[in-house]
Amino acid sequence: MDDGELLAALIGHEQFRNDYAGGGVLSDGTRHGPYWLRLITPDLYESISQERAVQILREWVDPLWDVPTELETDLQREVFARVDAADGIYHLGDLGDEAMHDWGGVHDSFHEFVLIDRAAAQVTLLVAADD
């Protein structure tokens, strides 16, 4: 399967129907993050470097905040190690106001990455969001 097919399979999966605002996965959901699910397609994901992904994530964590040691350890293990291992990293950019669902503006920040690690035969959906 090529990367575009993996992205399409991910978008089509039931677990992708999550608004990341506390509602969890809805099997018949029409939202993904702040966006209408029907408007998300594989070609909207931009291939980015590991360095760029780390930069976006570090800016989200906020470099001015003194991250507690335990949280930094968790971030390193659960997030940054996965970014480092990925063969392909795709970022869903801002889709604009037209793609936002009826209450999608609840997120102050929403960053989504798809990490493809072919050696581990693993696809990881990584979402960094706050509301």
Side-chain angles (χ1 to χ4, degrees):
M1 218 181 252
D2 69 21
D3 290 0
E5 292 170 315
L6 288 172
L7 290 168
L10 176 71
I11 293 166
H13 196 280
E14 179 180 293
Q15 294 291 310
F16 197 75
R17 298 176 185 142
N18 193 328
D19 56 33
Y20 297 100
V25 174
L26 300 173
S27 61
D28 60 346
T30 59
R31 296 172 183 88
H32 176 76
Y35 305 118
W36 291 112
L37 177 64
R38 72 182 187 290
L39 299 178
I40 299 175
T41 60
D43 61 313
L44 294 175
Y45 287 84
E46 174 189 9
S47 177
I48 64 170
S49 68
Q50 290 174 338
E51 294 80 13
R52 179 67 181 130
V54 168
Q55 178 187 11
I56 293 167
L57 289 164
R58 284 288 176 198
E59 288 172 0
W60 179 75
V61 170
D62 190 350
L64 301 178
W65 180 50
D66 191 17
V67 179
T69 303
E70 185 177 336
L71 176 58
E72 182 60 37
T73 300
D74 290 345
L75 287 170
Q76 186 57 45
R77 182 185 64 250
E78 298 298 331
V79 176
F80 296 111
R82 292 174 194 247
V83 170
D84 289 343
D87 303 303
I89 301 172
Y90 292 88
H91 181 246
L92 181 65
D94 183 352
L95 302 185
D97 291 340
E98 307 81 37
M100 253 192 213
H101 61 69
D102 48 348
W103 50 268
V106 70
H107 293 286
D108 293 328
S109 182
F110 182 84
H111 302 285
E112 178 173 307
F113 303 87
V114 177
L115 311 175
I116 299 172
D117 182 347
R118 293 198 180 276
Q122 189 172 42
V123 175
T124 301
L125 177 64
L126 175 63
V127 175
D130 51 7
D131 59 7

